[in-house]
Amino acid sequence: MHDRRVSLLDLPSVPESVLAAEVAARLPASTPGPPWHCRVRAVVWLQRATAPGVDGATGTTMGAVVDYLDSPVGAYREVFAGPLLRHAGLPTVHVPFIAVDSVPSVHGGRAHWGLPKALASFTGDVGAGRVRAEGEGWSVGVEARTAGLPVPLVGTFANRQAAGRARVSLRGRGRLARVGVDALGPTLAGWLGSGTHPGVVGTGRLVVHPPQA
């Protein structure tokens, strides 16, 4: 168990996703493995940005705040951002910054996908497009303004972390949006910063598959 907990701590990330010792001490011994089938609400955006220390980045970053209405570890909220990578086939994102308000989700992300989840608190309403996430020394505020009628959202992308490359598939509905982002933190202020970006506000069902080498 000692060695396993050490491996969960030793994941590449930006400083905002370094796991605090007191959170690491609270991690459960196990959580359900993938695939995870989840019902979600989300605000997702794309912006010109590259996280520090990520090789193969295209210069475009995907960011999101997600309300997991149900999952194998229960309901929780999440914020993440990561650059899209140059990769043949599916669009692929690497996530060096991710935080949630659920200790079991912290374990699940780190143990099953190599996602460097930290713990955060959230205020606001993802469905309404206004959310603020705060952690130790950082914050991300999001405010989305939607336009037009809802349209179907169906797609698949990949997430590449230390554990391998995992497919993520989504089926739902959403509306196009302009997403205002205000990020503060040791690195977040520099590569996410403040600005308004194209995005979508949507609901649907998400499946996160096991990582493959």
Side-chain angles (χ1 to χ4, degrees):
M1 178 57 65
H2 174 73
D3 290 342
R4 182 57 173 164
R5 285 186 183 272
V6 169
S7 70
L8 295 185
L9 299 180
D10 189 23
L11 294 174
S13 75
V14 294
E16 291 87 348
S17 271
V18 171
L19 190 62
E22 65 91 14
V23 178
R26 295 162 51 198
L27 293 181
S30 66
T31 46
W36 278 18
H37 294 260
C38 309
R39 188 165 53 94
V40 301
R41 296 183 296 198
V43 178
V44 183
W45 73 91
L46 295 175
Q47 68 177 92
R48 296 295 297 172
T50 299
V54 176
D55 295 330
T58 63
T60 298
T61 282
M62 174 191 293
V65 289
V66 187
D67 189 356
Y68 286 79
L69 302 175
D70 57 50
S71 84
V73 293
Y76 66 93
R77 287 176 288 184
E78 175 178 278
V79 60
F80 74 83
L84 298 176
L85 304 179
R86 292 187 290 272
H87 194 282
L90 289 177
T92 300
V93 62
H94 173 75
V95 177
F97 166 68
I98 182 168
V100 296
D101 62 358
S102 159
V103 172
S105 178
V106 170
H107 177 277
R110 286 178 172 263
H112 305 310
W113 292 281
L115 285 162
K117 290 187 177 183
L119 200 61
S121 61
F122 291 76
T123 56
D125 183 347
V126 174
R130 292 184 297 276
V131 188
R132 186 173 184 84
E134 296 188 30
E136 185 66 34
W138 63 265
S139 65
V140 177
V142 171
E143 183 167 353
R145 296 182 179 275
T146 58
L149 297 174
V151 296
L153 298 174
V154 180
T156 302
F157 67 96
N159 170 225
R160 178 170 288 282
Q161 305 295 134
R165 185 168 179 260
R167 284 190 304 115
V168 182
S169 54
L170 171 70
R171 182 177 296 272
R173 295 182 66 80
R175 299 173 68 189
L176 295 177
R178 297 292 293 172
V179 182
V181 178
D182 182 16
L184 299 173
T187 70
L188 292 182
W191 63 284
L192 289 185
S194 299
T196 302
H197 314 289
V200 64
V201 178
T203 62
R205 293 193 173 273
L206 189 74
V207 182
V208 188
H209 297 272
Q212 304 295 321

